[in-house]
Amino acid sequence: MEGTIMNRKLNVSGFQLLCMIFMFINGTSPPIEIYFLAKQDSWMSLFLGLTVGCLLFLVYIKLYSFFPDVPFTKYIQYILGKYVGKLLALIYILYFIYIGARVLRNFEELMIISLYNASSHISIGILTMIVVIYASYKGIEVFARANEFIFLFIAFLIFIIIGFEIISGLININNLRPVLESGWKPVLKATPILTATPFGEIFTFTMILPYLNKQKKVVKVGITSLLFSGLILTLFSMLNTSIMGASEIERTIYPLLTAVSYINIADFIQRLDTFIVVVSVCNYFVKITIYFYCAVSGAADLFDIKESKKLVYPTSVIMLVCSIWMSKNYVDLRNQASNVVPFLLQIPLQIIIPICLILIVLIKRKLKYPAL
């Protein structure tokens, strides 16, 4: 990182922000439990989650408009005062570390299941964190520029994979029927999980928005990238269901990986699940790095540490250890992702508190509070 984040004005272009948001949102697959809840209508839950995510992004933009030059962990102290603000800022820094650790653990599980059966979580985690540390040392600007090339590469692979799924004749639209077999209740029950993960996670960009070089474009860029990434996730959900059917998806660990493994064109083009692993590696890397960057930069600002590089190694160790200890196995990790983390952690921190902060700011401005 470039020393203290406030040493100079960092610059991220609109296209770079779009690329980061796309890669970030697609960094983890939607929780598999949505297929247990909504069955073949899971794509509807994804679409509803995307809609709520766009509305949440407008909430974050409203907060950002009050304090366009500082990250979230800074202006929360302006809103709530020195002591309460610092305490809540610390909670959000721990949130970035914890969710980043969850993403890291998901990546470790994917690598072990798909490629490295004999490897351990700790070895994959260490190698991943070395790359994340290197990216962090290079800084958010260098990372954003590199991410542009990663985005274009991933977009090309996604286009190729979708094309091959269509050409291979695997898609059976009847697997999407009957529509709303059990009514709207299962769809609406799955929506809060998807609102929290992945769409509500765009909250993390409240730490990066102040460094957008053309801040007037933030709504256009943010909503466009969120819609683009959300529609891609929805499309893949429909394709996965069309190829495998809801009942088979429930028995898989990574539906997209399984669906793509079925591609076989003239006994020549096959085993394309390797490409999905490549896409996942890139997406996970971007998502973990963004969480890591936000945690380190927020902590450096909170504790008034001029050289944020000093926090890179301790933060990486904490994130790595947390990824190993947070659950006993993959099943436990999945249960946490759908039944615990969204409701006890993500919804309060991503939705409830930001909305309360807006109300506090509006009330204080109405009363002409001098700090705001």
Side-chain angles (χ1 to χ4, degrees):
M1 295 183 185
E2 303 94 345
T4 305
I5 195 170
M6 300 303 291
N7 281 349
R8 66 180 180 86
K9 180 66 175 178
L10 303 177
N11 285 302
V12 175
S13 70
F15 181 69
Q16 289 170 346
L17 180 66
L18 184 147
C19 295
M20 282 196 288
I21 292 176
F22 177 84
M23 299 290 290
F24 182 85
I25 295 297
N26 287 273
T28 49
S29 301
I32 191 68
E33 279 68 25
I34 67 169
Y35 294 100
F36 288 90
L37 294 171
K39 307 292 183 181
Q40 66 271 15
D41 296 322
S42 297
W43 66 272
M44 293 185 183
S45 298
L46 271 163
F47 191 78
L48 291 175
L50 172 61
T51 303
V52 178
C54 289
L55 295 175
L56 281 176
F57 186 72
L58 295 178
V59 171
Y60 306 148
I61 293 302
K62 185 64 176 178
L63 268 176
Y64 162 74
S65 67
F66 295 139
F67 310 95
D69 298 321
V70 292
F72 179 83
T73 52
K74 187 69 174 180
Y75 64 69
I76 198 174
Q77 300 173 49
Y78 298 157
I79 298 173
L80 298 177
K82 180 179 179 181
Y83 298 106
V84 176
K86 282 184 177 293
L87 176 61
L88 199 52
L90 178 60
I91 291 173
Y92 273 99
I93 291 167
L94 295 176
Y95 158 81
F96 294 142
I97 294 174
Y98 178 74
I99 300 298
R102 292 193 65 84
V103 179
L104 177 60
R105 176 60 180 269
N106 277 312
F107 177 67
E108 294 164 2
E109 295 287 354
L110 173 63
M111 290 294 99
I112 290 174
I113 291 171
S114 61
L115 295 177
Y116 305 111
N117 296 333
S119 298
S120 63
H121 292 94
I122 187 70
S123 59
I124 295 175
I126 289 173
L127 292 174
T128 304
M129 290 310 300
I130 289 173
V131 181
V132 170
I133 288 170
Y134 177 77
S136 299
Y137 264 106
K138 287 297 180 181
I140 192 66
E141 292 181 14
V142 175
F143 171 73
R145 288 195 295 269
N147 188 60
E148 289 182 83
F149 295 100
I150 298 175
F151 167 79
L152 295 175
F153 173 67
I154 294 304
F156 172 74
L157 284 183
I158 289 174
F159 176 78
I160 293 296
I161 289 166
I162 292 174
F164 282 154
E165 285 188 334
I166 295 173
I167 294 172
S168 62
L170 293 171
I171 297 175
N172 182 5
I173 299 298
N174 289 326
N175 285 333
L176 294 172
R177 301 170 181 164
V179 178
L180 296 175
E181 181 180 15
S182 302
W184 281 99
K185 186 176 179 180
V187 174
L188 295 176
K189 193 174 181 180
T191 299
I193 299 174
L194 293 167
T195 299
T197 305
F199 301 114
E201 291 181 288
I202 199 174
F203 164 82
T204 308
F205 283 84
T206 56
M207 298 291 293
I208 297 176
L209 290 180
Y211 312 115
L212 187 64
N213 58 5
K214 295 182 180 178
Q215 297 183 350
K216 292 182 179 179
K217 293 185 177 181
V218 64
V219 175
K220 180 180 178 181
V221 171
I223 294 296
T224 300
S225 54
L226 194 55
L227 286 172
F228 181 37
S229 55
L231 291 175
I232 289 293
L233 286 176
T234 304
L235 176 60
F236 271 119
S237 176
M238 296 177 71
L239 289 173
N240 294 341
T241 306
S242 298
I243 292 171
M244 294 186 289
S247 59
E248 185 175 346
I249 288 181
E250 293 175 11
R251 298 192 296 270
T252 63
I253 297 177
Y254 295 101
L256 180 58
L257 196 65
T258 305
V260 172
S261 69
Y262 291 165
I263 294 176
N264 186 350
I265 302 177
D267 290 328
F268 178 70
I269 299 176
Q270 53 186 329
R271 297 299 300 171
L272 296 182
D273 45 319
T274 304
F275 289 99
I276 294 299
V277 175
V278 172
V279 170
S280 298
V281 168
C282 295
N283 287 340
Y284 275 112
F285 162 68
V286 172
K287 190 160 190 173
I288 294 168
T289 302
I290 289 174
Y291 270 120
F292 185 80
Y293 173 82
C294 292
V296 172
S297 61
D301 180 70
L302 179 64
F303 299 112
D304 196 24
I305 297 174
K306 294 181 179 180
E307 290 288 335
S308 57
K309 292 180 181 179
K310 295 178 180 179
L311 295 175
V312 168
Y313 289 114
T315 305
S316 64
V317 171
I318 294 171
M319 186 175 285
L320 177 61
V321 172
C322 187
S323 73
I324 304 299
W325 286 354
M326 66 172 45
S327 63
K328 296 176 291 186
N329 50 52
Y330 183 66
V331 174
D332 184 44
L333 187 71
R334 278 174 45 174
N335 289 335
Q336 292 176 13
S338 58
N339 300 320
V340 180
V341 176
F343 303 102
L344 295 184
L345 186 62
Q346 291 175 311
I347 289 178
L349 293 178
Q350 294 172 359
I351 302 176
I352 298 174
I353 291 178
I355 291 175
C356 290
L357 290 175
I358 284 184
L359 294 176
I360 292 171
V361 171
L362 293 176
I363 291 172
K364 285 187 174 182
R365 291 201 167 191
K366 187 73 172 179
L367 299 175
K368 298 181 178 180
Y369 193 81
L372 301 176

